[in-house]
Amino acid sequence: MKKTLLSVGTLALWALGASSVFAQSAKATIGNDNGMVISRHIYGQFAEHLGRGIYDGFWVDAKMPVKKQDRVRLDIVDALKKIKIPNLRWPGGCFADEYHWRDGIGVRTGRPKMVNTNWGGVTEDNSFGTHEFLELCKLLNTEPYITGNVGSGTVQEMSNWVEYLNFDGKSPLSDLRAKNGHPKPYNVTFWGVGNESWGCGGNMTPEHYADEYKRYAIFAKDYGNNKLKKIATGPAGDNYNWTEVVMKNVKKDIWGIALHYYTLPTGDWNDKGPATGFTEAAYFNTLKNGLRMEEFVTKHSAIMDKYDPDKKVALVVDEWGVWTNSEPGTNPGFLYQQNSLRDALVAATTLNIFNNHADRVKLANLAQTINVLQALILTQKEKIILTPTYHVFDMFKVHQDAKLLPIKLDVPDYEFDGKKLPAVNVSASKDAAGKIHLTIVNIDNNKAIDFKADLGNATWSTVSGQILTGTDVTNINTFTNPNNIKLVAFNDAKKDGNNISVKLPAHSIVSLELK
């Protein structure tokens, strides 16, 4: 065992001292696939007009000395293409329900300005609008997910937006699209019918929203062979009544219902806790709150099963992630926060939950892509850094559109201050080439774990892997030390008959490929 500890993937273990002895063990049984596919759209991202997410994020000053296409930063595009983001949600969020799409088309110098009342009270110049967003999606090779304005908009406004983007015939709106530089339709498929209609999107009751949804949805037309996937505003967290009412009253013309849940370190919206320099108590509480996603997905899915036993309606978790206090000295309305190994552990755990609920969860969006909340990328003028969470999405991209392999787990607890959490979570899949991928998370802050999995009758002969870990869960990447937390090769997995044995360091994320 001492020789095993010398491998590259677990060098960080030495910094943890004697407490990281492999004193605990976890077991898993991995079954055969039953044809269920992990939708690639679970790995979607979110870009709202909020803080430095769009402006000074994706869309920069024309004079900034970075490689650009128009004003889109191409180093960011390249980084996101590497992790194969499948869809990008826009323009919000709360911003969507005060956004009027006609303000963001045409000659940029002639576009009207507006006040972003939700996020910092700043002036929005509308230089980044519909065409700019869709050109960004083209650069990213990703599908657009547009959220329509139900809160302050009209049925006609959303109906016209759909026609403007998707109609491949002669009409005033398709002519306008051609005049603005795009004769062919964009064929946008994913459409959100409002956002958080129980709150910033209109303070509606679920009964009222269900009626509004049906009214908006019937006028959002399919054009040609492009069939819209309409997504209803769903609940926040444990608002099970909202799901019940919407599923009961909206009988057709619905592709998905959205769920929003943010992991707050403290659980208190007034003081969410810092992104850095936190204690183990704060770490434990953050993971405890993050693991509630399993409860929410399970219970909302059970309600959906009552009205949709064939699981035709998707559960769309289109806002999720860790939300801390904003970084000191920044505009609190911009929601800029650092990103630590703790956040990566929450992200990996959440993605394992989504994968294992692939029968119902078909799309999800991390909040948010750049410079906002649990971002993948942070920027500082011409510099960018990839956060620990970015590296999680890099590790997990192997699950996209792969067949889910069911798992039974027997794992030890991570104990702190008399409280317990399951220390290990896992998801597994088999891709089109027959390769098996496992993503394994050990959230225990102090103890390494000996993990063994029975692969049954699966055929494989070699294993390779990567690991994301550090000396402490507070570790971050900075503009002076951008590679403090990064992926490295993992060599502490070995074949034992048809079982696999893995030495999991404390607070680590491991991805394995068996072929």
Side-chain angles (χ1 to χ4, degrees):
M1 184 175 290
K2 288 182 180 179
K3 289 184 179 180
T4 304
L5 288 173
L6 287 172
S7 65
V8 174
T10 52
L11 284 176
L13 212 57
W14 287 90
L16 301 177
S19 64
S20 284
V21 175
F22 291 99
Q24 298 195 98
S25 62
K27 296 180 181 180
T29 302
I30 300 176
N32 298 321
D33 79 83
N34 60 6
M36 188 182 303
V37 173
I38 299 171
S39 171
R40 68 184 184 278
H41 289 294
I42 285 172
Y43 292 84
Q45 302 299 323
F46 180 24
E48 184 170 6
H49 287 243
L50 194 174
R52 295 172 51 238
I54 299 292
Y55 301 101
D56 202 29
F58 281 111
W59 190 248
V60 295
D61 189 283
K63 296 178 181 178
M64 179 176 281
V66 295
K67 190 176 180 181
K68 301 179 291 294
Q69 183 160 319
D70 196 352
R71 288 169 55 188
V72 174
R73 281 190 72 149
L74 293 183
D75 51 358
I76 285 174
V77 168
D78 290 342
L80 296 177
K81 285 175 69 176
K82 181 178 183 293
I83 61 173
K84 299 181 180 180
I85 69 167
N87 67 78
L88 186 62
R89 182 175 181 243
W90 173 87
C94 293
F95 182 79
D97 281 299
E98 64 176 354
Y99 181 69
H100 301 283
W101 68 271
R102 284 180 178 269
D103 293 345
I105 61 172
V107 178
R108 288 177 196 153
T109 55
R111 296 179 188 178
K113 295 178 172 59
M114 63 175 286
V115 179
N116 189 335
T117 62
N118 283 286
W119 305 119
V122 297
T123 299
E124 160 72 50
D125 71 1
N126 280 310
S127 62
F128 187 92
T130 296
H131 288 265
E132 289 79 12
F133 170 66
L134 291 169
E135 288 305 306
L136 169 63
C137 289
K138 182 179 179 180
L139 288 172
L140 291 167
N141 192 29
T142 195
E143 289 194 48
Y145 169 14
I146 292 178
T147 302
N149 183 344
V150 171
S152 69
T154 65
V155 171
Q156 182 178 0
E157 183 178 17
M158 183 171 172
S159 175
N160 286 350
W161 203 1
V162 174
E163 181 184 337
Y164 179 84
L165 292 177
N166 291 355
F167 182 52
D168 191 18
K170 185 72 173 175
S171 78
L173 286 168
S174 61
D175 288 348
L176 181 60
R177 182 188 69 230
K179 179 183 177 182
N180 288 331
H182 207 274
K184 291 293 183 181
Y186 284 104
N187 293 325
V188 176
T189 297
F190 291 114
W191 286 86
V193 182
N195 168 79
E196 295 190 356
S197 300
W198 38 263
C200 64
N203 282 327
M204 302 178 195
T205 64
E207 292 82 4
H208 180 71
Y209 173 74
D211 287 341
E212 286 292 280
Y213 175 87
K214 290 182 284 188
R215 194 164 68 97
Y216 274 76
I218 200 170
F219 288 100
K221 305 291 187 180
D222 294 332
Y223 292 103
N225 295 322
N226 188 56
K227 306 300 181 185
L228 302 190
K229 294 175 180 176
K230 302 168 192 175
I231 299 167
T233 285
D238 61 359
N239 187 350
Y240 301 113
N241 181 60
W242 186 282
T243 301
E244 184 89 37
V245 171
V246 172
M247 289 298 297
K248 181 179 180 180
N249 288 284
V250 179
K251 304 293 187 183
K252 59 182 181 179
D253 207 14
I254 178 173
W255 183 82
I257 182 169
L259 167 66
H260 289 182
Y261 176 64
Y262 287 97
T263 298
L264 310 184
T266 64
D268 181 356
W269 282 101
N270 295 315
D271 183 7
K272 296 176 281 291
T276 59
F278 46 84
T279 63
E280 184 172 3
Y283 168 74
F284 184 93
N285 205 47
T286 304
L287 271 294
K288 175 176 70 71
N289 292 338
L291 281 163
R292 292 201 70 192
M293 184 66 82
E294 172 70 35
E295 170 193 345
F296 298 144
V297 169
T298 299
K299 291 184 177 180
H300 286 292
S301 295
I303 294 168
M304 296 172 74
D305 288 347
K306 291 168 55 179
Y307 303 98
D308 175 39
D310 295 329
K311 300 183 185 294
K312 294 180 179 179
V313 180
L315 183 59
V316 175
V317 192
D318 60 14
E319 289 189 30
W320 68 271
V322 176
W323 191 331
T324 69
N325 294 337
S326 299
E327 288 300 303
T330 66
N331 185 330
F334 283 8
L335 307 187
Y336 178 82
Q337 63 190 53
Q338 249 294 356
N339 192 292
S340 67
L341 179 59
R342 173 184 68 173
D343 301 319
L345 290 157
V346 172
T349 298
T350 303
L351 290 172
N352 277 340
I353 291 169
F354 293 162
N355 289 345
N356 289 320
H357 285 274
D359 61 333
R360 186 61 85 175
V361 180
K362 303 294 185 182
L363 189 150
N365 301 87
L366 176 72
Q368 293 187 11
T369 316
I370 306 173
N371 291 330
V372 176
L373 297 174
Q374 190 176 348
L376 299 180
I377 298 172
L378 302 178
T379 71
Q380 185 184 82
K381 296 182 179 179
E382 70 276 10
K383 296 179 181 179
I384 69 169
I385 54 173
L386 307 178
T387 68
T389 299
Y390 172 93
H391 295 303
V392 168
F393 277 80
D394 196 10
M395 299 172 84
F396 277 65
K397 66 187 179 187
V398 293
H399 291 304
Q400 293 188 22
D401 287 338
K403 291 181 179 179
L404 177 70
L405 299 179
I407 298 177
K408 293 182 179 179
L409 286 177
D410 181 8
V411 303
D413 290 322
Y414 166 34
E415 299 186 35
F416 178 80
D417 196 25
K419 296 170 284 189
K420 298 179 180 180
L421 295 173
V424 176
N425 60 83
V426 187
S427 66
S429 67
K430 182 169 67 175
D431 67 16
K435 293 180 288 188
I436 294 172
H437 294 101
L438 280 71
T439 45
I440 313 165
V441 184
N442 177 13
I443 68 169
D444 196 306
N445 190 44
N446 306 301
K447 295 179 180 177
I449 293 175
D450 193 346
F451 174 83
K452 293 183 178 180
D454 180 351
L455 275 295
N457 59 5
T459 302
W460 60 285
S461 57
T462 63
V463 58
S464 59
Q466 293 179 302
I467 186 170
L468 191 72
T469 190
T471 57
D472 195 278
V473 289
T474 62
N475 290 165
I476 60 174
N477 290 336
T478 67
F479 293 98
T480 55
N481 188 4
N483 295 310
N484 187 37
I485 299 290
K486 64 179 181 179
L487 291 177
V488 296
F490 179 75
N491 301 312
D492 278 339
K494 65 179 181 179
K495 197 173 191 298
D496 180 12
N498 212 35
N499 297 339
I500 188 164
S501 179
V502 187
K503 307 299 184 182
L504 299 173
H507 51 250
S508 68
I509 305 160
V510 170
S511 65
L512 300 176
E513 179 176 279
L514 284 57
K515 61 181 181 179

